[in-house]
Amino acid sequence: MRASVEEAGALLARSDSAGRRRRSPVQSASSPPRPGTLRRQSSSFREDVGHAASETYLVSRLTFTLLQYLGIGYRWMSQLLALTIYAILLMPGFIQVGYYYFFSNQVRRSIVYGDQPRNRLDLYIPEDNSRPCPVVAFVTGGAWIIGYKAWGALLGRRLAERGIIVACIDYRNFPQGTIGDMVNDASQGISFVCNNIADYGGDPNQIYLMGQSAGAHISACALMEQAVKESAGRPVSWSVTQIKAYFGLSGGYNIHSLVDHFHERGLYRSIFLSIMEGEESLSRYSPEIIAKTSSAETIALLPLIVLMHGTEDYSIPSSASRTFVDVLQQVGAPAKLLLYEGKTHTDIFLQDPLRGGRDPLLEDLLSVIYADDTIARQKIALAPTPRRLVFEWQLKLARQISPF
């Protein structure tokens, strides 16, 4: 089993080697194309297609490896069926977002940030980047198994339309990697953003870190681990002090308390413990426990932590965020909790943006990011209302079928 996982990782490393060239900083939309630009764009598209083909092959092999771990189980098979139907119902919206992702000149796909497989990130660049833009480094969810950087396309588009650069950081999933690999990948991606985002029109003094679901857990682990290293005087490639705020959406932060919950929902104990590198590592990868046991010097480094959660989230209960905020406040860290009444695990992140109109999550993010920027807030107030991407009946039916 281990050999097959390592073989798959080696395969991806080979498939990545052809694309390990950092893309150029963003050019102004008004600049005339230079000679050879169309040829390079065509070449870039061919590279994207080739990379997609190699990733599809790899994912297929990893899927078979994962199925060997899962075996035959009613819970996870029913969850997979529900997820498939859910995706089909929302497909019209996903197609529109996918078209933007692949064809918009505001999206810079698959920028390499490290040497490991899946060390790539996507950048969503505002049209108006005449002045340095705030930046959100985003780690997407996916139950530590199906996470992918493109899952952040809807959020990236919405924030880019409001003057914010979004960097969606990809990372190795299980069984290609375990939680330590995921946290290391996320940390390297954050480091790339902190040290290079100015080349793409970003403001290195306005960097925000965000994660959703499993990505909220992974990014919180990276943040806490970095704070511990930094307070101990160990060498680091990025500083916690470079992060103005952390946004955790629908995350779990005490893994001990979630093992049985995930088991009942189809992420079986044996698999989950394999992802988390064994029961002995649960405390190490529980940001809540790390915060409890950290020194005052470590806590003092932490930025504002804003946890967001739907009250009807059954994938990860909202009590996970409430408890973490309580612990952070007890140890003296700046933290606050935003609860979305009646919202499920994906309502806030997917269904609400697909519905169009008012978007509570977007409003809460912008209220923090633009807290001191009156001009930006005025521009946002005049921005057109986002349009609906999916019919209401599809959203309601998807909500009923959703495995989340």
Side-chain angles (χ1 to χ4, degrees):
M1 183 69 68
R2 180 65 181 170
S4 63
V5 176
E6 290 175 347
E7 180 186 359
L11 176 65
L12 180 59
R14 290 196 296 273
S15 72
D16 277 354
S17 62
R20 292 189 179 281
R21 294 186 295 273
R22 184 178 302 171
R23 302 193 178 185
S24 301
V26 181
Q27 296 180 21
S28 170
S30 60
S31 300
R34 294 191 299 268
T37 297
L38 294 179
R39 184 177 300 173
R40 285 196 297 272
Q41 289 176 346
S42 176
S43 175
S44 175
F45 182 75
R46 287 197 298 271
E47 288 175 2
D48 285 342
V49 171
H51 178 65
S54 64
E55 280 198 341
T56 301
Y57 176 68
L58 174 69
V59 167
S60 299
R61 295 193 58 168
L62 288 175
T63 299
F64 285 113
T65 303
L66 180 61
L67 289 174
Q68 293 179 53
Y69 277 97
L70 290 170
I72 299 176
Y74 167 76
R75 289 195 188 96
W76 78 260
M77 292 179 72
S78 62
Q79 294 281 67
L80 179 61
L81 178 61
L83 176 61
T84 302
I85 298 173
Y86 172 86
I88 291 172
L89 285 167
L90 300 181
M91 189 59 65
F94 294 158
I95 290 173
Q96 294 176 71
V97 176
Y99 183 86
Y100 167 82
Y101 176 75
F102 283 108
F103 297 104
S104 172
N105 60 8
Q106 304 308 127
V107 183
R108 304 292 182 267
R109 297 184 305 278
S110 295
I111 296 171
V112 175
Y113 67 78
D115 296 328
Q116 294 300 315
R118 300 282 295 274
N119 279 181
R120 293 169 177 261
L121 57 82
D122 296 329
L123 287 179
Y124 298 81
I125 311 291
E127 289 187 11
D128 180 10
N129 59 343
S130 55
R131 62 172 184 164
C133 303
V135 182
V136 171
F138 178 69
V139 183
T140 190
W144 301 273
I145 294 174
I146 58 171
Y148 186 59
K149 56 188 173 61
W151 299 168
L154 189 54
L155 177 73
R157 178 178 183 175
R158 286 289 183 89
L159 289 176
E161 288 172 346
R162 286 151 183 83
I164 298 167
I165 292 178
V166 179
C168 288
I169 300 170
D170 208 7
Y171 56 91
R172 285 168 285 178
N173 290 173
F174 183 82
Q176 190 182 10
T178 56
I179 185 62
D181 301 315
M182 301 176 202
V183 173
N184 286 339
D185 287 352
S187 187
Q188 283 193 56
I190 297 166
S191 176
F192 179 91
V193 172
C194 288
N195 294 310
N196 297 277
I197 202 61
D199 295 338
Y200 298 89
D203 185 348
N205 297 312
Q206 292 192 76
I207 297 176
Y208 300 81
L209 177 61
M210 182 177 180
Q212 185 261 340
S213 190
H217 167 251
I218 293 167
S219 54
C221 285
L223 184 70
M224 295 302 303
E225 182 180 270
Q226 196 74 3
V228 170
K229 286 181 180 179
E230 201 167 337
S231 64
R234 294 160 61 185
V236 294
S237 61
W238 62 279
S239 172
V240 175
T241 59
Q242 292 175 271
I243 307 299
K244 291 200 69 174
Y246 168 79
F247 302 108
L249 176 60
S250 307
Y253 310 97
N254 186 333
I255 301 304
H256 280 285
S257 65
L258 292 171
V259 177
D260 292 336
H261 174 78
F262 289 145
H263 180 80
E264 291 300 316
R265 294 191 57 81
L267 185 54
Y268 299 131
R269 178 187 297 271
S270 59
I271 311 251
F272 187 64
L273 291 179
S274 295
I275 295 171
M276 294 297 151
E277 302 176 359
E279 196 161 357
E280 65 279 2
S281 296
L282 294 182
S283 295
R284 178 184 174 189
Y285 295 110
S286 292
E288 181 182 309
I289 295 176
I290 296 173
K292 280 183 180 179
T293 57
S294 290
S295 66
E297 290 78 12
T298 296
I299 298 301
L301 290 173
L302 295 177
L304 170 65
I305 294 176
V306 182
L307 301 188
M308 304 156 158
H309 224 118
T311 59
E312 291 189 17
D313 188 335
Y314 301 111
S315 293
I316 302 177
S318 59
S319 58
S321 289
R322 184 182 294 109
T323 304
F324 189 28
V325 164
D326 289 343
V327 167
L328 288 167
Q329 291 175 344
Q330 288 168 11
V331 298
K336 65 179 181 178
L337 175 67
L338 298 177
L339 292 177
Y340 299 88
E341 197 64 35
K343 299 297 184 181
T344 67
H345 193 66
T346 55
D347 277 343
I348 314 165
F349 186 65
L350 276 181
Q351 282 96 304
D352 284 351
L354 289 173
R355 179 175 285 109
R358 183 173 176 267
D359 187 337
L361 171 64
L362 193 65
E363 292 175 2
D364 289 331
L365 292 174
L366 296 175
S367 70
V368 175
I369 295 173
Y370 286 134
D372 302 321
D373 193 333
T374 305
I375 296 176
R377 291 201 306 272
Q378 291 173 346
K379 287 184 179 179
I380 291 169
L382 298 174
T385 302
R387 65 184 183 87
R388 179 188 292 275
L389 301 179
V390 177
F391 290 118
E392 188 63 32
W393 68 265
Q394 292 173 295
L395 291 166
K396 289 181 178 178
L397 190 54
R399 195 178 195 271
Q400 293 174 1
I401 294 174
S402 172
F404 309 109

